[in-house]
Amino acid sequence: MSSLAEGGSGEEDLVFPVAADAPRASRVGFGPLRLSQLARASGLVGLVVLAGFVPSLAQSNYLTSIALQIEILMCLALGLNFVVGYAGMLDLGFAAFFAIGAYTTGMLAVHAHWPILATLPPAVVIALIGAVFVGVPTLRLRSDYLAVVTLGFGEIIQTVVNNLNQTGGPEGIYGIPPLSLGGWTLTTTSSYYEIFLFLVVVFVAVSARIRHSRLGRAWLAIREDEDTAQAMGIKVRRYKLYAYMAGSVFGSLTGSLYAPAFIAIAPPSFGFTESLLVVMAVSIGGIGSIWGALLGAGVVIAFPEVFRQFAQARLLVFGIALVLVMVLRPQGVWPENGIGWRRLAARWLNRDAQSAPR
Amino acid sequence: MACLSVRGLSLSFGGVDALAGVSIEIPDRSLFAVIGPNGAGKTSFFNCLTGYYRPSAGSVALDGRDITRLGAAEVAALGIRRTFQNVRVFPKLSARENVLAGAHLRASASVLGTLLGTPRHRRGERVLAEEAERWLDFVGLADKAAVLAGDLPYGMRKRLEVARALIAHPEILLLDEPAAGVSSVEREELASVIRRTAADGVTVVMIEHDVELVMQLAAGVAVLDRGRLLVQGTPEAVRADPRVVEAYLGRRQR
């Protein structure tokens, strides 16, 4: 065994990580970066810079606030993607963590006069405690039971904030102070747009890193086949809890920054509908796909806005569109293994093709 | 050192005894085969060894350490890896990622290292990725690394399962019907993979219906029939044993 196993573990070459004997065609390139990687990286940077100019290009508070809503849903969708997309568990109460973040920040900032940034760590800790509290007893269940329990958890959190005096009851918390960053006080919608753009970028980077690590591979193995995952030495229950905890961190951070962005928070923003929107964003976009989660969030927010002229019927139109996506493309618009342009093109060009090239 | 000793292993589902007091010693670094007619309890036997089933009586020991009550993940951590009769690759992961998933316990567990992309973490991942390529090459799938496992033909999926088990550097490899349903060409490749694995010092235990393959590869054979150990011995002795012939073909009517 050792003959095969140990080669390459000793000598490391940091400048040229491409092994000298690597025969793969994909290794064409120069230096530590492959050409395709370079193009990809610059494309991504360009995309983010372009996104940064959205408020000044839009020149409209309405469009900017829609864009901000999209970003918030993107953040939540990336959080839920750990649970639903990577680990394959259905979570119908994700808004609970969003609420925990928003309310922790709101209460500490309004009642105890904490600066917004200082409220992030306690919000994350409380969300993690919530995740462990709900996760430990329930994650041994199979996915469908988990969906029911998380649904209940979401309802409980909403009911609690609706009824406690400290959370302002149905009126919620208002007059949440703005976020201050090194002398800058952020008050405009476009400044929060930029903050959330940063958060989206960080969440995407974290998701991508984790996806291609021990943790991400373990989650995907569990999603694909729980029993077989155990044969890899993966402790299934523990790793499911990790997914739930990772999701709760993203959810609560999003909530914590949502509170100052919207100044007031109230229970209706954290109900089942919100949880469902996040699930929709993840599944329309493509389960387990980072690009899919981003795209899905955009579709879920923008679609009803674009079809405003349908007035009352727009939700009906939205519903029909959702059903169509799920029937025609159940893997999502942008699935984790790529859109498959070539296959799609081949199908359109030659509908009789028995098997399309991959 | 890795020898498995199974004593009085019994497993019953309701009133049906899948296994009834099976005792087998599997010596270290051997190529061992478990055969028997359908329903003899072979897969149940494997499931008991690997923590998937909890036997109703008896014990399994690895190098003298009792592992009877351990869960599947814990057994895997002790260096016992297996493949499945009904081929269980992770369909939506590429062949490469399937193999990397098998290296779970060898990969860096530092979340901070992962998030920050520390040189140490990246080096670890690169070493594993290169090793995954070598294992794919070992089972003859070097050019399929990027293909989704679900898109691979049956025989290749079987070999992928073997690569996924081997990257963990197991002490013992349990193969559940590795040759079932594979073409004769692929069967030769498979035999070569098994032979080379055993030559590398891994104890290989296989359930196999293909008698030719068993005779060709195995040093020791155990025959199960209706949950009991019928015979254990060298392939030649087992083949000549009238009880084995009877178990497979039934008694001659006189």
Side-chain angles (χ1 to χ4, degrees):
Chain A
M1 186 105 322
S2 49
S3 58
L4 270 145
E6 278 159 18
S9 60
E11 77 290 19
E12 299 310 329
D13 190 344
L14 282 175
V15 190
F16 294 97
V18 177
D21 59 336
R24 313 274 161 264
S26 62
R27 299 276 168 108
V28 183
F30 55 86
L33 274 180
R34 272 178 263 157
L35 254 181
S36 60
Q37 280 182 335
L38 211 66
R40 214 177 130 91
S42 41
L44 287 176
V45 170
L47 201 65
V48 172
V49 170
L50 194 68
F53 282 110
V54 162
S56 29
L57 291 173
Q59 290 293 344
S60 125
N61 218 21
Y62 166 70
L63 285 182
T64 309
S65 85
I66 298 293
L68 176 60
Q69 283 180 48
I70 290 177
E71 286 175 333
I72 290 169
L73 192 61
M74 281 176 171
C75 290
L76 293 175
L78 287 169
L80 189 68
N81 194 40
F82 287 131
V83 185
V84 173
Y86 289 172
M89 310 181 282
L90 185 52
D91 179 347
L92 292 178
F94 193 67
F97 297 119
F98 185 40
I100 288 175
Y103 271 92
T104 307
T105 293
M107 286 161 69
L108 286 175
V110 171
H111 302 316
H113 308 292
W114 286 35
I116 298 293
L117 281 183
T119 67
L120 300 190
V124 167
V125 169
I126 294 173
L128 282 173
I129 292 172
V132 172
F133 184 73
V134 178
V136 167
T138 53
L139 288 174
R140 63 179 66 214
L141 305 173
R142 294 269 164 168
S143 192
D144 7 359
Y145 299 98
L146 185 72
V148 175
V149 175
T150 52
L151 176 70
F153 179 55
E155 291 302 300
I156 287 169
I157 293 291
Q158 197 194 14
T159 309
V160 166
V161 296
N162 202 23
N163 287 289
L164 275 184
N165 284 332
Q166 288 83 348
T167 57
E171 287 172 28
I173 297 177
Y174 43 87
I176 296 165
L179 176 65
S180 297
L181 281 177
W184 293 30
T185 303
L186 308 181
T187 50
T188 60
T189 307
S190 50
S191 58
Y192 282 101
Y193 171 88
E194 304 298 347
I195 290 293
F196 270 98
L197 180 62
F198 174 74
L199 200 63
V200 170
V201 170
V202 171
F203 282 9
V204 165
V206 169
S207 300
R209 280 265 160 88
I210 290 185
R211 166 66 184 78
H212 295 285
S213 74
R214 168 175 159 132
L215 195 54
R217 287 190 295 262
W219 284 337
L220 267 84
I222 290 170
R223 181 193 76 189
E224 294 290 294
D225 188 336
E226 217 175 294
D227 295 328
T228 306
Q230 290 186 32
M232 317 285 114
I234 296 167
K235 296 195 163 142
V236 170
R237 232 183 291 153
R238 180 180 303 179
Y239 272 81
K240 281 180 166 182
L241 183 62
Y242 290 162
Y244 204 52
M245 288 165 71
S248 79
V249 170
F250 276 26
S252 72
L253 283 175
T254 309
S256 288
L257 292 175
Y258 169 88
F262 284 74
I263 305 166
I265 52 174
S269 316
F270 307 98
F272 179 58
T273 318
E274 189 67 22
S275 295
L276 214 54
L277 281 181
V278 189
V279 173
M280 264 158 48
V282 172
S283 40
I284 291 176
I287 297 275
S289 152
I290 292 173
W291 287 112
L294 300 181
L295 191 70
V299 170
V300 167
I301 297 291
F303 199 99
E305 298 297 332
V306 171
F307 288 88
R308 263 195 188 282
Q309 72 258 38
F310 289 99
Q312 290 295 314
R314 69 195 171 115
L315 286 180
L316 180 68
V317 175
F318 187 41
I320 292 170
L322 274 184
V323 172
L324 283 180
V325 169
M326 288 295 110
V327 169
L328 297 176
R329 203 164 162 80
Q331 72 272 44
V333 179
W334 194 324
E336 59 183 337
N337 292 310
I339 295 182
W341 290 116
R342 252 185 286 170
R343 235 190 305 183
L344 276 180
R347 218 167 66 191
W348 281 100
L349 290 176
N350 179 12
R351 301 227 179 169
D352 310 319
Q354 286 298 307
S355 62
R358 292 188 57 81
Chain B
M1 259 306 280
C3 65
L4 265 180
S5 79
V6 180
R7 294 221 177 82
L9 201 66
S10 301
L11 176 74
S12 46
F13 297 109
V16 182
D17 290 335
L19 293 171
V22 174
S23 300
I24 301 179
E25 292 283 330
I26 297 167
D28 184 31
R29 285 161 192 264
S30 61
L31 218 165
F32 197 87
V34 178
I35 63 171
N38 287 324
K42 304 182 295 293
T43 297
S44 294
F45 177 66
F46 265 24
N47 284 342
C48 285
L49 297 192
T50 49
Y52 278 89
Y53 290 163
R54 190 140 295 177
S56 29
S59 69
V60 182
L62 173 68
D63 299 332
R65 180 185 164 178
D66 185 56
I67 61 166
T68 322
R69 311 248 144 237
L70 298 185
E74 292 161 316
V75 171
L78 290 175
I80 301 181
R81 291 295 168 119
R82 67 173 295 180
T83 65
F84 295 86
Q85 187 182 356
N86 44 347
V87 194
R88 294 172 80 162
V89 293
F90 303 121
K92 283 191 194 156
L93 301 189
S94 68
R96 181 189 290 114
E97 282 200 304
N98 264 272
V99 178
L100 283 173
H104 176 72
L105 295 172
R106 295 182 52 216
S108 152
S110 157
V111 174
L112 206 64
T114 303
L115 294 183
L116 300 178
T118 55
R120 185 197 166 98
H121 171 81
R122 285 153 76 141
R123 200 177 317 133
E125 283 291 303
R126 198 168 63 237
V127 168
L128 275 189
E130 283 166 10
E131 201 185 312
E133 303 280 337
R134 276 198 295 276
W135 285 116
L136 283 170
D137 191 40
F138 182 77
V139 299
L141 295 174
D143 55 337
K144 304 291 180 198
V147 179
L148 296 189
D151 291 344
L152 289 174
Y154 186 77
M156 289 191 186
R157 272 185 269 165
K158 292 212 121 167
R159 279 183 275 146
L160 180 58
E161 260 199 307
V162 176
R164 186 178 65 183
L166 287 177
I167 197 173
H169 299 177
E171 307 264 1
I172 299 177
L173 177 64
L174 305 178
L175 302 170
D176 197 344
E177 299 200 16
V182 290
S183 71
S184 55
V185 178
E186 285 183 320
R187 200 179 134 249
E188 285 315 304
E189 291 181 53
L190 195 81
S192 143
V193 167
I194 294 171
R195 207 179 285 119
R196 283 180 287 149
T197 303
D200 263 340
V202 181
T203 303
V204 180
V205 186
M206 59 175 183
I207 292 175
E208 191 46 71
H209 278 301
D210 187 330
V211 177
E212 281 309 308
L213 195 69
V214 169
M215 296 299 152
Q216 189 188 333
L217 293 174
V221 178
V223 185
L224 290 183
D225 182 34
R226 280 173 253 168
R228 282 164 218 285
L229 176 65
L230 200 62
V231 188
Q232 182 178 356
T234 63
E236 294 73 25
V238 166
R239 179 144 69 170
D241 196 301
R243 287 170 298 177
V244 177
V245 178
E246 188 188 312
Y248 272 97
L249 301 177
R251 192 185 295 272
R252 185 185 298 264
Q253 297 291 321
R254 287 175 194 270

